[in-house]
Amino acid sequence: MVTKLSDAFKVNHVLDLNSFTELPETHAWTSKLDSYSASGGSCTSNPETIPIIDLNNKNTIDLIGHACKTWGVFQVINHNISKNLLDEIELKGKGLFSLPMHQKLRAARPPDGLSGYGVARISSFFPKLMWSEGFTIVGSPLENAIQLWPEDYQNFCDTIEEYQKAMKKLAGKLMWLMLGSLGITEDDVEWVGCKGEERGCSALQLNSYPTCPDPDRAMGLAAHTDSTILTILHQSNTRGLQVFKEEGTGWVTVPPHPGALVVHVGDLMHILSNGLYPSVLHRAIVNRTQHRLSVAYLYGPPASVKISPLQKLVDISHPQMYRPITWSEYLGTKAKHFDKALTSVRLCAPRSRVVNSNDHKIVKVG
Ligand SMILES: C=C1C[C@]23C[C@@]1(O)CC[C@H]2[C@@]12CCC[C@@](C)(C(=O)O1)[C@H]2[C@@H]3C(=O)O
Ligand SMILES: O=C(O)CCC(=O)C(=O)O
Ligand SMILES: [Fe+2]
């Protein structure tokens, strides 16, 4: 960890990125830092493209299974989330991030808190700061919304709550399609129907990436995997999201597709599938001319349920690869070990096909 910047991170020092005409040193990700490099790593114009899956297609389940195995990411269309709701959440996000800094800081995320405004949580693991600001909502948005708009918080809350509800439904459906593609049914999952504590459950993360005076040396959101079962990402029509594909391919851009939502396989699906569906390493880069916004719905199980490889996927030739762990414990492990979190709960060596994409600092991208 880098002491100076991690101190800044702890007190949630957010700089107003719109006020810079040159990239400050604190945000300059040099190529010497190898895998930390912003411009580092080939970003291919790969002939292979990230699958776009129509949820009304009769082969959806197989297409999803194949995408999870080969990419760890896909886009979905015909997902039943209205364009109106997607436009509305984008509008609310833009409204929030365009508030003056002193107003946003009224809702600053406390050092050990879950919800609120601030720099990327993973900042403390990197020697440089990221060119982004974020707003996390776990549970009700009410408390933060009142801090931001004491007179007019209801409008924001209504959109967020409607979005959370719609995403929860879609995420549940996608989880069962993913598990279904592995031959798993509800009977195989002990914690089905277990409500658990709502606190600590799925989070909504609004990310804002202001235009950047030197985008090749800056990093929007550094390479990471999500600590989720799956994540549903709505990206505005500006490019920026990249996923890492092994086998010599490198970083691949996930091009915005009108109306589509991006789905990431997260670390908990990696565990549940006993390594069959590896979580996807991804990052966000920035650009000189267009502000970019993304909204991530980070979906997980009830916080206190023990997650472990599903027994149907474990046998003598496929031993259990991970120990049981709750989502809250895993988030704690991630906060401490970051890219080594998954390895730290591993019981035996990974399947030979799976490159350990989670030791991402060893991934050669520079
Ligand atoms: C549920 C969560 C996953 C997350 C940490 C959090 O408590 C809320 C924010 C999430 C997020 C979004 C941006 C990337 C990420 C790595 C981060 O720093 O905050 C993820 C966290 C995660 O998936 O580990
Ligand atoms: O902004 C993006 O495209 C990526 C956001 C992301 O990875 C996250 O919020 O976890
Ligand atoms: Fe992410």
Side-chain angles (χ1 to χ4, degrees), residues 114 121-122 136 203 205 221 224-227 298 327 331 334:
L114 292 172
R121 267 180 190 73
I122 54 176
T136 314
Q205 171 79 18
L221 188 57
H224 66 279
T225 58
D226 295 340
S227 315
L298 299 126
W327 195 20
L331 286 169
K334 188 75 162 247

Side-chain angles (χ1 to χ4, degrees), residues 205 207 209 221 224 226 231 233 235 240-242 264 282-284 292-294 296 298:
Q205 171 79 18
N207 300 300
Y209 307 93
L221 188 57
H224 66 279
D226 295 340
T231 302
L233 187 91
Q235 55 174 341
L241 175 64
Q242 297 182 334
H264 290 153
H282 55 284
R283 69 181 186 183
R292 178 167 181 270
L293 185 97
S294 73
L298 299 126

